[in-house]
Amino acid sequence: FFSKGVVVVIHKKTMQSKALWVSTSAVAIGLLGISFQTLIRKNWFRVTVSRDNFKADYNHTILSIPTIYYPKGKLLDVLPDWHDERNGLFQLYRLMPGDEFKLDYDILNDGTNVTAKKRISDCIFPQSIMCRPCFEYESASVNAADILHDRQEGGEYSAAFAHIESMSSIGQLWKAMQLPPHILKTLLFEHAFISNFKSGLMTAPMHANALTSSMAVQFVGKKTWIFFSSDVTRNSNMLNAFQVDSVVIPTQSPKDNYDIYVYTSQPGDVLFFAENWGHTVYTHEGPNLMLNFRKLIFMNILRRPIDWIHTILAAALLSNRKPFSNRKIKQTNMSPYSSPYFTNTLKKIQDGLCGDGDVSEWDKVMMKVIHDHVQTSTVAEHAI
């Protein structure tokens, strides 16, 4: 009887293991089935976009960003850890009115280089939320402090989606802002945006990170952003964003009334936003330094697992990441820093939307929103 009981117990455990394996396999097969069904139905890796897709037929409502204010030097009191997305997918931490954050540029002097590109002075491309910014293709390694001090020679250099080469400098910046020290080691990577423009311009067209959450920290200067929630960005009745590698790009204007967030950053701002929150960025004139840190949390995967399948398949099948160092392109508004698949897709979108130097009606509406907000923030600053 005892031996039979052991056999029964073992048999039950074996059956439970098999059931778990079958359930896991079924989920995996189901996700792959959905992925390939989408691939067949929507041409998953191909997109065609024209200005006819971007009509300004519906109205937008401007919403305010949820904001928590903190006294100077007390950021840790309100932000002891990475922002908890259970309290909101979109959150700004800002200095109390009247407080100021000032960064010593010399923190970045010693070996703090970034890959930067030169602004094109006689750019033929329009200011746009969809067209690529006006920078030369070729890049150079430039000292970050030289950009902020306006000591660079031969033109206005700007670093975008770059990496600061000195981890010591990142640590100094982190300490200067008094960010939670223990989370720095948990982040995937940082993107540096450094400039010192004589006049402001659009520096990031509409896009969203499909995979990770972000923390944008403004150390110097101002940027004006338009944000779209993930419900607008990935909704087929709204922006219907198309995924290219780990980035998503709109393929149409909204087909119904929609909400946007318009926001001008200031030094000391720490802004959190989740994956698939679409945004476009205008950089103001003068010294400017913003770092965007990326963190992977479980909910990034759980909310849209199909995006991860798409990224893996694209990397395996399409993203032959060879450098483009042999291509001598002096003026382009294509992305110079990713795979051929990414670059070629952006070129198709560029040709469809901006190829003749004009932009869509919806683009013009969004640019007016940005210009109005830039003007308002500039007037407010001069009034202080």
Side-chain angles (χ1 to χ4, degrees):
F1 177 80
F2 178 75
S3 61
K4 288 183 179 179
V6 173
V7 171
V8 169
V9 171
I10 294 174
H11 179 67
K12 285 184 177 179
K13 289 185 177 181
T14 303
M15 292 298 292
Q16 289 173 352
S17 299
K18 286 183 178 179
L20 179 61
W21 183 87
V22 170
S23 300
T24 305
S25 301
V27 171
I29 292 171
L31 287 174
L32 286 173
I34 293 172
S35 303
F36 285 109
Q37 184 182 31
T38 306
L39 171 62
I40 295 170
R41 187 175 71 249
K42 291 188 175 181
N43 292 322
W44 214 12
F45 299 118
R46 294 183 295 173
V47 62
T48 301
V49 176
S50 72
R51 282 204 290 269
D52 291 337
N53 299 111
F54 288 86
K55 297 177 180 178
D57 292 337
Y58 294 92
N59 297 323
H60 63 267
T61 300
I62 298 178
L63 304 179
S64 299
I65 297 179
T67 304
I68 295 174
Y69 291 92
Y70 68 94
K72 185 176 181 179
K74 300 293 185 179
L75 178 59
L76 282 172
D77 290 351
V78 296
L79 187 66
D81 208 330
W82 185 271
H83 172 70
D84 189 344
E85 292 186 352
R86 290 175 295 182
N87 297 325
L89 301 179
F90 195 40
Q91 182 69 58
L92 171 64
Y93 294 82
R94 168 168 279 188
L95 280 167
M96 295 286 290
D99 287 347
E100 292 185 356
F101 174 84
K102 292 186 178 180
L103 180 72
D104 179 5
Y105 300 167
D106 291 333
I107 287 178
L108 304 172
N109 265 337
D110 299 329
T112 308
N113 283 16
V114 290
T115 300
K117 294 176 284 293
K118 189 187 299 184
R119 180 178 180 176
I120 301 169
S121 57
D122 55 347
C123 183
I124 63 174
F125 302 120
Q127 290 284 290
S128 162
I129 71 164
M130 293 298 297
C131 304
R132 300 303 299 172
C134 286
F135 298 105
E136 291 186 356
Y137 177 83
E138 294 179 348
S139 59
S141 182
V142 181
N143 182 266
D146 287 346
I147 296 177
L148 295 174
H149 282 297
D150 198 20
R151 295 192 297 237
Q152 71 268 30
E153 298 180 359
E156 296 177 76
Y157 278 90
S158 168
F161 297 96
H163 295 289
I164 290 179
E165 297 174 9
S166 168
M167 279 303 299
S168 173
S169 293
I170 294 176
Q172 289 292 325
L173 290 168
W174 196 272
K175 184 178 180 180
M177 186 65 77
Q178 297 185 328
L179 291 161
H182 64 281
I183 67 174
L184 181 57
K185 294 181 180 180
T186 69
L187 305 181
L188 291 180
F189 53 88
E190 51 82 23
H191 277 148
F193 300 80
I194 309 172
S195 61
N196 195 343
F197 297 132
K198 302 297 187 295
S199 59
L201 80 160
M202 296 299 297
T203 49
M206 265 293 299
H207 69 284
N209 174 1
L211 303 183
T212 62
S213 294
S214 299
M215 178 181 73
V217 184
Q218 190 73 43
F219 292 91
V220 181
K222 298 189 299 182
K223 291 180 181 287
T224 294
W225 307 59
I226 294 181
F227 276 96
F228 302 82
S229 74
S230 56
D231 292 336
V232 175
T233 304
R234 301 306 299 268
N235 190 326
S236 60
N237 197 44
M238 292 293 178
L239 296 180
N240 195 28
F242 175 82
Q243 188 173 352
V244 189
D245 283 350
S246 61
V247 178
V248 295
I249 302 168
T251 62
Q252 65 184 33
S253 58
K255 307 304 180 187
D256 201 347
N257 295 336
Y258 57 101
D259 296 332
I260 63 174
Y261 298 84
V262 187
Y263 152 72
T264 295
S265 63
Q266 65 184 36
D269 279 4
V270 183
L271 178 66
F272 289 87
F273 52 98
E275 80 287 349
N276 287 307
W277 276 67
H279 54 279
T280 183
V281 185
Y282 173 96
T283 300
H284 292 238
E285 65 182 40
N288 205 294
L289 169 60
M290 187 269 286
L291 295 186
N292 197 339
F293 297 91
R294 320 285 185 171
K295 184 179 177 69
L296 174 62
I297 62 176
F298 180 66
M299 289 303 297
N300 297 142
I301 302 173
L302 193 60
R303 280 189 286 259
R304 284 187 63 91
I306 196 170
D307 290 351
W308 285 82
I309 296 173
H310 183 290
T311 302
I312 293 169
L313 289 177
L317 302 176
L318 301 172
S319 296
N320 182 19
R321 297 179 181 276
K322 295 180 180 179
F324 283 77
S325 57
N326 294 329
R327 294 183 63 181
K328 297 181 179 179
I329 303 175
K330 292 294 184 181
Q331 183 171 345
T332 180
N333 48 6
M334 299 185 334
S335 170
Y337 50 79
S338 193
S339 68
Y341 165 53
F342 186 92
T343 304
N344 291 336
T345 303
L346 285 188
K347 183 179 185 302
K348 290 179 182 178
I349 294 174
Q350 156 67 30
D351 290 344
L353 296 178
C354 320
D356 60 0
D358 198 5
V359 297
S360 70
E361 291 302 315
W362 184 70
D363 200 329
K364 293 173 184 176
V365 170
M366 291 295 100
M367 282 305 305
K368 185 178 186 306
V369 170
I370 289 176
H371 286 148
D372 288 348
H373 204 268
V374 168
Q375 185 175 13
T376 300
S377 66
T378 302
V379 170
E381 182 181 26
H382 290 165
I384 297 176

